[in-house]
């Protein structure tokens, strides 16, 4: 039973006792026969007794047909008892008959309604509805017993003016004036005012509901409500809600305060006092609550991280949110909001300003951010898992707390300003090919070198075709200088000379060079051979091919370009991998550093023979997947690299780039939104997308610093010792 219902019941019982005492005193002191049961006591025992119990306890609000039948039957029995002292031929008997007929009619009508009305559903027969309405009105205690009391006054007390006056006065007090109820209600009101809400606690009425979860409060006072202030949104037509002040969004006959609403914790509603008369208007009130009482309310505890609310046009892939607090927001930062039971993380990729009409043409300017869905973080798996739905409109959006980004053995980088890492499946990176794209000087080579070291740690052998000689320096721990120099000199020797031949295809030194590189790769890729890195600079070798037919035992010789030597190495790698058989795992990775020079697009070749050479390299990559052969392609000129290979790169590291060709190409992989932010990317930052990434969607990450990576990674994956096999 609620407190209000309990108070009403208690008041009715008190009034019943007081009025019963009044009736007792009148019957005892005023009526001549006192408490003796006779016709002079009918009014008291039958009339007021039933009136009090009926109107105060049984039927305080309405009278159902069953109670109407009871009331009318009791009144009928009382008036029949009174007829025993009245002469049958007098006009008083006529009055008794009239009252009896009235009571009998009400009783019979009530019984009929009970018998014929429908028990389930809505009664549609007009005559039944009319009868039901009549017995509910005429059969109420006030009507039935008023008729009985007035009849008793006329029949038995009209000769005693004092008795008639006292009885009529009691009737007026109980039925009409009801002073006891009024006094008790006033006392209850006075008691409630001790804990009533004071004027200064009223923030203002609710101007609008931006359902679900947001209300606009028209502030009455001139002060400023601080962000995060706890409020209570009270509404007589709905549940009370906990409110959290967000920000001001304009004016409409007062400042419009935007308030985020949430479930009001159990117990806090009891802390609120009696509300002032709001005439049905929903109000926002200051909440008097301790920090312990608000400890389990996320909206309060996370208010310092709350940066906005979800707005319209949010989709399955993107969340759009209105920014309420710009502190800490930046391109690439992570935010989170709820989707169902999950806290789902998004990455900010774009922001823009908007202006909307709030109330009565009152405009409100604000910033809107766009964030790409990343997923929910699975601690056990150490990666983000997909959530295939979208957040509710007006759901709060929270900025992820900043954490120091530390390199880990499993993460290629971290989301900016967080500890969330992005892992790589190095086998998939090889078999499905990987590309690192971006301008000069932003960290492409350092990223590629880290990827190479991760491949080696995964048991994948790497052949670096490097025009810069950088890999041999930065990965010197994996190379035996004496062994590598001997292998290089063998290749140089194989490329020297080259005699003309009647068969032009056999003229020059390229066949000897091809045989030597094939033999070296066969030894290097032997599973028993524990060397994992081989670095070759195609520009260091002078290899010839016959450029014309024989004339006087002589022929013109042409020197192979780095592109053509790259094709020979790619073909040799494919041949050796085919000899080793098929596999689903990455076995060998060809690293094309400065790929625009090693595998150029057809319109960017230096020599005509480069077109056929690039086609051979591309064919080796296309056919090599089933044998565990793949490539890592690094370039600063996307437009100048053969698209035959580039289109096969299923994992992309997109770093800063400016050329439209590169952005247009990358937009097919990472989407136009991420492609649009590439010109403004900082150094050591990249957008990662593809099969090898631990995230299903494109993500912007800060790549590992070289020194921090080495300290962390090599602690878990030390450099393997270098054997000295007879060949390779």
């Amino acid at each position: 039973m609620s407190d209000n219902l309990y108070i009403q019941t208690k008041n009715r019982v008190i009034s019943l006792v007081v009025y019963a005492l009044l009736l007792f005193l009148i019957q005892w002191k005023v009526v001549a026969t006192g408490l003796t049961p006779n016709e002079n006591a009918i009014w008291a025992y039958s009339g007021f007794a039933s009136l009090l119990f009926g109107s105060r306890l049984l039927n305080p609000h309405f009278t159902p047909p069953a109670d109407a039948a009871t009331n009318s039957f009791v009144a009928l029995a009382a008036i029949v008892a009174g007829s025993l002292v009245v002469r049958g031929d007098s006009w008083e008997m006529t009055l008794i008959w009239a009252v009896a007929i009235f009571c009998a009619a009400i009783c019979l009508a009530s019984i009929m309604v009970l018998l014929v009305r429908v028990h389930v559903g809505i009664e549609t027969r007009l005559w039944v509805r009319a009868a039901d309405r009549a017995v509910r009105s005429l059969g109420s205690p006030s009507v039935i017993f008023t008729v009985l009391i007035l009849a008793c006054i006329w029949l038995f007390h009209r000769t005693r003016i004092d008795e008639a006056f006292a009885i009529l006065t009691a009737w007026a007090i109980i039925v009409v004036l009801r002073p006891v109820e009024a006094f008790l209600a006033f006392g209850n009101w006075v008691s409630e005012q001790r804990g009533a809400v004071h004027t200064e606690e009223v923030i203002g009425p609710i101007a609008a509901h931006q359902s679900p979860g947001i209300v606009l409060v028209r502030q009455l006072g001139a002060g400023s409500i601080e962000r995060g202030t706890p409020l209570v949104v009270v509404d007589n037509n709905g549940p009370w809600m906990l409110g959290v002040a967000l920000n001001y969004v304009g004016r409409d006959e007062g400042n419009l305060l935007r308030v985020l609403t949430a479930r009001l914790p159990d117990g806090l509603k009891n802390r609120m006092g009696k509300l002032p008369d709001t005439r049905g208007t929903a109000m926002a009130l200051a909440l008097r609550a301790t920090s312990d009482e608000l400890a389990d309310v996320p909206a309060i505890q996370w208010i310092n991280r709350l940066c906005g609310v979800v707005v319209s046009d949010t989709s399955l892939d993107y969340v759009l949110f209105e920014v309420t607090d710009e502190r800490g927001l930046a391109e690439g930062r992570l935010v989170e909001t709820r989707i169902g039971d999950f806290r789902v993380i998004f990455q900010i990729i774009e922001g823009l300003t908007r202006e909307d009409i709030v109330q009565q043409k009152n405009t409100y300017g604000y910033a809107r951010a766009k964030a790409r869905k990343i997923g929910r973080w699975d601690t056990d798996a150490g990666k983000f898992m997909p959530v295939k739905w979208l957040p509710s409109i007006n759901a709060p959006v929270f900025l992820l707390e900043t954490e120091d980004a530390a390199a880990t053995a499993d993460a290629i980088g971290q989301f900016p300003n967080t500890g969330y890492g992005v892992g790589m499946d190095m086998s998939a990176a090889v078999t499905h090919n990987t590309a690192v794209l971006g301008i000069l000087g932003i960290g492409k080579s350092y990223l590629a070198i880290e990827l190479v070291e991760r491949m080696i740690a995964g048991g994948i052998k790497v052949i670096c075709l490097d025009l810069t000689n950088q890999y041999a320096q930065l990965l010197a721990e994996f190379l035996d200088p004496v062994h590598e120099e001997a292998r290089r000199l063998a290749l140089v020797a194989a490329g020297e000379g080259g005699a003309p031949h009647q068969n032009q295809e056999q003229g020059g030194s390229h066949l000897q060079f091809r045989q030597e590189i094939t033999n070296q790769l066969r030894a290097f890729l032997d599973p028993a051979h524990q060397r994992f890195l081989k670095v070759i600079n195609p520009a260091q070798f002078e290899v010839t091919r016959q450029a014309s037919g024989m004339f006087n035992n002589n022929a013109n010789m042409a020197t192979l370009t780095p592109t053509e030597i790259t094709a020979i190495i790619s073909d040799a790698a494919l041949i050796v991998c085919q000899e080793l058989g098929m596999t689903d795992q990455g076995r060998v990775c060809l690293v094309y550093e400065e790929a625009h020079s090693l595998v150029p697009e057809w319109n960017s070749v230096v020599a005509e023979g480069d077109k056929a050479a690039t086609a051979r390299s591309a064919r080796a990559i296309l056919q090599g997947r089933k044998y565990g052969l793949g490539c890592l392609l690094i370039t600063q000129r996307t437009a100048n690299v053969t698209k035959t290979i580039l289109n096969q790169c299923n994992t992309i590291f997109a770093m800063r780039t400016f050329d439209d060709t590169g952005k247009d190409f990358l937009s097919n992989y990472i989407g136009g939104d991420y492609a649009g932010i590439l010109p403004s990317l900082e150094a050591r930052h990249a957008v990662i997308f593809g099969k090898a990434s631990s995230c299903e969607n494109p993500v912007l990450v800060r790549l590992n610093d070289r020194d921090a990576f080495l300290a962390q990674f090599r602690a878990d994956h030390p450099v393997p010792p270098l054997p000295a096999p007879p060949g390779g």
Side-chain angles (χ1 to χ4, degrees):
M1 180 182 293
S2 66
D3 292 342
N4 189 42
L5 182 60
Y6 171 76
I7 291 173
Q8 291 179 5
T9 302
K10 184 178 72 172
N11 288 349
R12 289 198 297 268
V13 173
I14 292 173
S15 63
L16 184 148
V17 172
V18 172
Y19 292 141
L21 290 174
L22 174 63
L23 299 182
F24 175 79
L25 290 174
I26 293 175
Q27 181 66 29
W28 181 27
K29 295 294 185 181
V30 178
V31 177
T33 58
L35 300 177
T36 303
N38 56 25
E39 69 275 7
N40 291 329
I42 291 177
W43 76 277
Y45 295 138
S46 299
F48 274 104
S50 299
L51 174 63
L52 288 176
F53 279 92
S55 63
R56 295 306 186 273
L57 291 184
L58 299 178
N59 312 124
H61 304 296
F62 64 93
T63 305
D67 291 338
T70 302
N71 293 336
S72 57
F73 181 80
V74 171
L76 177 62
I79 200 65
V80 169
S83 67
L84 299 177
V85 296
V86 176
R87 290 191 353 241
D89 57 350
S90 65
W91 62 270
E92 286 89 348
M93 184 58 72
T94 303
L95 177 59
I96 288 176
W97 272 106
V99 174
I101 292 172
F102 172 77
C103 293
I106 296 298
C107 183
L108 293 174
S110 300
I111 294 173
M112 179 197 67
V113 169
L114 292 173
L115 292 175
V116 302
R117 70 179 179 181
V118 295
H119 297 287
V120 179
I122 299 175
E123 178 60 67
T124 58
R125 292 169 293 181
L126 180 60
W127 68 272
V128 176
R129 291 164 54 197
D132 181 78
R133 184 65 177 269
V135 299
R136 288 176 183 271
S137 300
L138 300 178
S140 67
S142 297
V143 173
I144 287 288
F145 295 111
T146 293
V147 171
L148 179 62
I149 289 168
L150 293 179
C152 287
I153 290 174
W154 182 257
L155 292 172
F156 309 118
H157 302 280
R158 69 177 184 273
T159 59
R160 293 288 304 271
I161 300 301
D162 57 340
E163 292 182 9
F165 178 78
I167 295 172
L168 285 173
T169 301
W171 171 82
I173 290 172
I174 296 174
V175 177
V176 181
L177 300 179
R178 304 166 68 92
V180 176
E181 290 88 340
F183 177 79
L184 292 174
F186 178 75
N188 292 333
W189 179 85
V190 171
S191 176
E192 291 171 349
Q193 298 316 299
R194 297 194 190 101
V197 173
H198 301 291
T199 302
E200 61 270 18
E201 295 175 314
V202 178
I203 305 301
I206 304 303
H209 289 266
Q210 296 181 334
S211 182
I214 296 288
V215 297
L216 296 182
V217 177
R218 185 181 295 112
Q219 186 179 337
L220 298 178
S224 178
I225 306 298
E226 294 185 3
R227 169 188 171 87
T229 299
L231 310 172
V232 172
V233 178
V234 298
D235 189 351
N236 293 332
N237 298 319
W240 290 16
M241 301 293 290
L242 174 69
V244 182
L246 292 183
N247 62 335
Y248 289 96
V249 296
R251 293 185 59 83
D252 176 32
E253 300 178 6
N255 290 330
L256 286 174
L257 175 66
R258 178 156 51 185
V259 176
L260 173 70
T261 61
R263 182 188 65 83
L264 186 64
D266 298 337
L268 281 184
K269 184 174 180 179
N270 297 331
R271 297 288 305 275
M272 301 301 298
K274 175 69 176 178
L275 298 180
D277 183 11
T278 61
R279 300 178 182 241
T281 302
M283 302 288 290
L285 310 174
L287 175 62
R288 296 172 296 199
T290 65
S291 57
D292 291 340
E293 290 174 313
L294 299 174
D296 62 342
V297 182
I300 296 291
Q301 301 305 314
W302 299 352
I303 188 62
N304 291 330
R305 295 198 294 114
L306 195 150
C307 59
V309 292
V310 177
V311 296
S312 59
D313 298 327
T314 290
S315 67
L316 293 173
D317 294 323
Y318 298 93
V319 64
L320 296 175
F321 64 94
E322 180 181 335
V323 176
T324 61
D325 187 359
E326 296 182 350
R327 291 176 298 177
L329 292 185
E331 185 178 83
R333 286 298 303 270
L334 297 186
V335 296
E336 65 177 342
T337 188
R338 294 201 71 86
I339 298 180
D341 296 330
F342 300 113
R343 290 167 51 190
V344 181
I345 295 175
F346 296 77
Q347 186 170 44
I348 297 176
I349 59 173
E350 188 179 359
L352 67 158
T353 57
R354 290 286 299 270
E355 185 176 70
D356 284 342
I357 295 177
V358 182
Q359 286 275 322
Q360 300 179 4
K361 298 183 180 181
N362 172 37
T363 59
Y364 163 57
Y366 60 91
R368 173 178 287 190
K370 183 178 184 180
R372 180 73 179 259
K373 183 193 293 181
I374 305 300
R376 63 177 180 87
W377 179 256
D378 188 321
T379 304
D380 296 333
K383 65 178 184 178
F384 289 97
M385 307 300 290
V387 178
K388 301 183 181 298
W389 194 235
L390 71 166
S392 301
I393 193 169
N394 289 330
V397 179
F398 300 96
L399 182 67
L400 255 66
E401 295 178 343
T402 301
E403 300 179 18
D404 293 334
T408 66
D410 298 325
I412 195 71
Q414 290 75 33
F415 288 92
N417 300 106
T418 76
Y420 291 111
V422 177
M424 294 290 294
D425 181 345
M426 299 315 303
S427 179
V430 172
T431 58
H432 291 76
N433 307 309
T434 299
V436 179
L437 311 174
I439 64 172
L440 185 67
I442 56 170
K444 297 190 308 299
S445 295
Y446 279 110
L447 170 60
I449 288 169
E450 178 178 333
L451 292 174
V452 167
E453 189 157 344
R454 290 181 180 278
M455 293 175 190
I456 293 174
I460 299 171
K461 299 196 175 186
V462 181
I463 304 169
C464 294
L465 305 183
D466 178 23
L467 298 175
T468 66
N469 295 318
Q470 192 174 20
Y471 287 75
Q473 298 174 15
L474 295 176
L475 295 170
E477 296 92 336
F478 297 90
L479 298 171
D480 179 352
V482 176
H483 176 81
E484 297 302 325
E485 181 64 14
R487 304 283 75 74
R488 187 186 71 82
L489 292 177
L491 287 175
V492 170
E496 292 177 346
H501 197 280
Q502 288 293 344
N503 184 347
Q504 185 175 336
E505 294 297 325
Q506 299 182 22
S509 63
H510 65 96
L511 294 180
Q512 294 90 321
F513 184 85
R514 181 187 301 273
Q515 186 62 47
E516 177 63 25
I517 193 66
T518 302
N519 291 336
Q520 288 193 17
L521 293 186
R522 187 174 288 117
F524 173 69
L525 298 181
D526 186 342
H529 188 98
Q530 292 303 303
R531 297 182 189 275
F532 287 89
L533 178 64
K534 190 173 187 65
V535 180
I536 303 173
N537 184 347
Q540 290 183 341
F541 306 107
E542 192 165 325
V543 183
T544 60
R545 60 178 173 81
Q546 186 171 324
S548 66
M550 291 280 293
F551 181 74
N552 293 331
N553 295 322
N554 200 2
N556 293 329
M557 295 291 175
T559 302
L560 298 188
T561 65
T563 300
E564 292 174 309
I565 293 177
T566 296
I568 293 175
I569 298 172
S570 300
D571 282 339
L574 175 61
I575 291 171
V576 175
C577 286
Q578 288 174 333
E579 292 172 354
L580 294 173
M582 294 186 180
T583 179
D584 294 330
Q585 299 299 312
R587 175 184 283 154
V588 184
C589 180
L590 285 169
V591 178
Y592 295 122
E593 177 63 58
E594 302 290 340
H596 50 276
S597 297
L598 299 179
V599 283
E601 184 63 292
W602 64 271
N603 57 357
S604 300
V605 296
V606 175
E608 190 64 26
D610 287 354
K611 293 181 180 180
T614 298
R616 293 203 309 274
S617 295
R619 184 175 62 252
I621 298 302
L622 291 175
Q623 297 178 3
R625 175 182 170 186
K626 65 183 72 172
Y627 303 103
L629 173 66
C631 75
L632 172 61
L633 185 149
I634 304 100
T635 184
Q636 55 185 285
R637 304 173 190 168
T638 307
N640 296 344
V641 177
T642 175
K643 301 305 181 291
T644 306
I645 295 181
L646 199 54
N647 287 332
Q648 297 301 314
C649 291
N650 197 267
T651 301
I652 297 290
F653 288 83
M655 305 176 80
R656 187 191 307 163
T657 186
F658 297 110
D659 65 291
D660 292 337
T661 302
K663 289 190 293 185
D664 291 343
F665 172 80
L666 289 169
S667 66
N668 296 325
Y669 283 86
I670 62 177
D673 298 307
Y674 275 109
I677 68 176
L678 294 180
S680 61
L681 278 187
E682 301 177 52
R684 306 293 301 150
H685 285 69
V687 176
I688 304 175
F689 177 60
K691 186 175 182 61
S693 172
S694 62
C695 297
E696 286 197 351
N697 296 320
V699 292
L700 170 61
V701 302
R702 188 192 186 284
L703 301 171
N704 294 329
D705 291 323
R706 177 68 179 166
D707 293 339
F709 162 73
L710 291 178
Q712 177 69 38
F713 189 79
R714 290 190 178 177
D716 298 334
H717 305 279
V719 177
L722 295 174

